[in-house]
Every structure is written in structure tokens, then in C-alpha cells.
Amino acid sequence: MKLLVIGGTWFLGKHVAVGALSRGWEVTTFNRGRSGADVPGVRTVRGDRTVAADLQALAAHGPWDAVVDTSSADLPPRDVLLAATALKDSAVRWVHISTVSVYKGWPHAPLTERSELLECASGADESYGYTGEDGSPTKYGFQKAGGERAVAEVFGARAVFLRPGVILGPDEYVGRLPWWLRRAHRGGRILAPDPRSQVIQPVDVRDVAAFALDQAATGTDGRFNIAHPVGITFEDFVTTCVDTTEGVGGPVWADPGALVREGVAQWTELPLWRTHRGVWAVDPSRAVAAGLRCRPLHETIRDTWGWLQNAGRPVDHPRWAEHGIAPEKEARVLASL
């Protein structure tokens, strides 16, 4: 099996490359060489996916049985279309990493693959879309929906789309789980959002990578929501972070209304917390039927802490700074409860 990974040096792309090599596949990665280190054993092609000449040079290194595109998150649809068009004759199959944000109803309503998508043309530039007053829909979601359309127009039935919600695990660059782990390790009274019984559905990066590779190797097309089919309660999540890091302290559970009144930002200041009813109501049953297997999230938490303790460091990314409540603000909110 010959695989091209667009990206391939950090987080999901890195785990896709590592997983493919472990299966004995021949792996090529295409990136600018500016972020993470190359995975040992891959063939590396340097270039910018937004430059037509670089894509033409890449195509000459093919053909491949499949492409896994892990690097389109911050690109407008027209750049996704550029890459797909350049590689349409060099790859049999295209596995596109998308997001649940492409759904018109996210995060307000429960989602299946039949849920309505946001509208965005395949040739749209970075100006298309908007973010609603309550944070939904998002401009990011419009852009990603246009990216899906671009790939579908070029690859048709040779394309598969994976729509994850939240991905956690070793090498995470966003900083959601690392923030909770470090906060738990610091100890003391930890501000945590009720309801503690809320089940959340993040997935381990290694499990997403494995499913992407499975899809790269199959001959079917499809669209799959990627979310943990069992999940973990918020209470179990926070408690596991405390136990794993051997932190001295524990959570103080706060009413969501009180957190909102105190100006605590959902999704960022308390990562993974959001009051919208659909955010953790994503149906992954189609992916599970197609072979998605998700390890217990306790294992993800443990392995991520082990990575951090072993000098693990993600690539530099601006989203890292967005996550986590400042200690002085947390103390003020705790005092107000």
C-alpha cells in the first residue's frame, strides 16, 4: 500500500504516518518542513500545498493508493480544491479530515451523517462565512464544508470524509487535555462545571489515525462522524486527571449558570465545557459499524500525562494560549460560589 499524507509531522498527521509505517506501508509525507520533525522511515517531499507548482512537483512522485489530508484545517476551500485537482490522477482514494463543525445544527442539536450541512462553494476564499453571536455556526465550519465539497467534486465516490469532534492524546497541540492535567497536578480546589454526570465524547488521536488508515485501505466511499461511542462523564474525566497526576486537591462543581454569570468562557477557559445540548450528542454508530474502535479515555488521559512528563512538547500553535482559566480568575470564581 502506497500512502501520501498531506502534513504528517504533528498530532493526527504524525500518528497517521506512524500507523501506516507500522502496517508495512510505503509512506510519503508532503509539508513545508516548518512545524514538527519528519517521522523516521517516511519519504518526504517539501512544498506548499497552496502553490500550484509545488503540487505539480508532488504529483510526479506518485502514484499512491490513497491520500490522507490532515492539514486543511486553516485553509479556504479554493486551496483544498487546488490540491485535490492537482492529485486527482495520482491517487486512487482521498481520505479527508473534516469536522463536526460542518453541520448546520452543531452544537445545538444531536447529529447524524444525515444532518444538514452548512453551505459553502468549493471555490470560496478565506473571507466566506461568519461566526454567529453565540459562537455558532462558525466561519471555520463554513470553510470546512466548502473543503468537503471541493474534494467531493474532484474525487466523487473515491473520497471519504471523517468528521471528528474533539481529538485528544499524545502530541496534542490545542492544549485541552494538557491544561486539565497540569491544573490537576497543581492541586487545590479545582473549578469544574456541573452537571458532573455529563458524558463527553472526545476521541484518542491514535484511534482516529487507525480509522483513517482503515478507510484508506478500503474501496468504499462515505461520511463518518468520529466521536467516542461510550465517552466519559465530566466527573470521571476530572477525577482521572487528578489521580493520574497525583494532584492534591479535587474539583468544586459549579452550576453552569453561575459560571456564565462570572464570565467563564465556554470551551476555552474550562476546556471541553459547553452548555449547548448537541455538543456531546454526536452519533458515531456508522463509523463504529465500519470499524472505529475507541480505547477507554482513561488510557488517553494516562498516556498524555506520560508524554508530558517525558518532555513531550507540541508544535507551537496559537490555540494553546486560548485554553485554561487564569489562576486569579479561577480563585475569584471559586470564592463567589
Side-chain angles (χ1 to χ4, degrees):
M1 180 83 177
K2 295 182 178 181
L3 180 72
L4 169 64
V5 183
I6 304 181
T9 61
W10 49 288
F11 202 40
L12 180 57
K14 172 184 175 181
H15 286 280
V16 168
V18 169
L21 290 171
S22 73
R23 298 183 184 205
W25 296 4
E26 181 181 309
V27 181
T28 302
T29 59
F30 176 65
N31 54 68
R32 295 175 300 175
R34 298 179 183 175
S35 298
D38 295 313
V39 173
V42 305
R43 177 177 65 163
T44 300
V45 179
R46 293 284 186 242
D48 187 330
R49 63 171 296 164
T50 68
V51 176
D54 289 359
L55 290 167
Q56 291 169 4
L58 170 65
H61 289 272
W64 297 278
D65 298 299
V67 174
V68 178
D69 185 1
T70 66
S71 71
S72 68
D74 299 319
L75 295 177
R78 67 179 182 185
D79 285 337
V80 178
L81 181 62
L82 180 70
T85 302
L87 297 172
K88 66 178 180 179
D89 296 325
S90 299
V92 176
R93 188 166 175 74
W94 186 290
V95 179
H96 193 71
I97 307 302
S98 186
T99 170
V100 292
S101 295
V102 299
Y103 290 111
K104 190 174 182 179
W106 192 88
H108 299 283
L111 298 174
T112 72
E113 288 84 359
R114 295 182 299 276
S115 299
E116 185 178 358
L117 301 182
L118 295 169
E119 286 290 332
C120 181
S122 61
D125 64 17
E126 60 276 0
S127 68
Y128 189 86
Y130 64 92
T131 297
E133 291 184 2
D134 70 342
S136 63
T138 63
K139 186 174 182 178
Y140 170 72
F142 281 105
Q143 295 272 312
K144 290 293 282 185
E148 283 197 15
R149 176 169 287 186
V151 173
E153 287 178 1
V154 176
F155 274 80
R158 296 186 291 143
V160 61
F161 301 92
L162 308 189
R163 297 169 179 159
V166 173
I167 304 176
L168 304 177
D171 299 294
E172 185 197 335
Y173 67 94
V174 176
R176 295 184 177 107
L177 179 51
W179 182 84
W180 277 109
L181 286 163
R182 286 171 172 158
R183 177 63 192 89
H185 182 62
R186 194 168 79 238
R189 300 171 74 228
I190 302 169
L191 184 65
D194 257 332
R196 67 200 75 184
S197 60
Q198 172 67 59
V199 174
I200 61 177
Q201 298 175 283
V203 288
D204 191 293
V205 63
R206 295 163 292 186
D207 298 329
V208 181
F211 186 69
L213 292 172
D214 290 344
Q215 293 306 305
T218 67
T220 60
D221 65 335
R223 289 156 174 79
F224 299 98
N225 292 336
I226 308 298
H228 203 292
V230 177
I232 188 172
T233 66
F234 224 113
E235 181 174 31
D236 200 5
F237 174 82
V238 175
T239 300
T240 302
C241 287
V242 173
D243 292 344
T244 298
T245 63
E246 299 181 342
V248 179
V252 177
W253 297 97
D255 178 77
L259 294 174
V260 171
R261 287 192 297 273
E262 291 292 333
V264 177
Q266 298 186 43
W267 209 237
T268 52
E269 286 193 303
L270 289 182
L272 305 179
W273 168 60
R274 200 164 185 174
T275 56
H276 301 77
R277 72 185 184 94
V279 68
W280 298 119
V282 178
D283 180 6
S285 57
R286 190 168 188 271
V288 171
L292 174 66
R293 297 292 178 265
C294 292
R295 70 196 68 204
L297 285 160
H298 304 84
E299 184 177 331
T300 303
I301 294 169
R302 182 198 68 205
D303 291 351
T304 303
W305 180 242
W307 165 68
L308 289 169
Q309 291 297 97
N310 194 32
R313 183 181 182 278
V315 298
D316 293 327
H317 198 280
R319 293 185 70 185
W320 187 277
E322 298 175 357
H323 290 84
I325 189 169
E328 58 273 16
K329 182 173 181 178
E330 181 185 25
R332 176 175 60 78
V333 176
L334 284 168
S336 72
L337 298 177

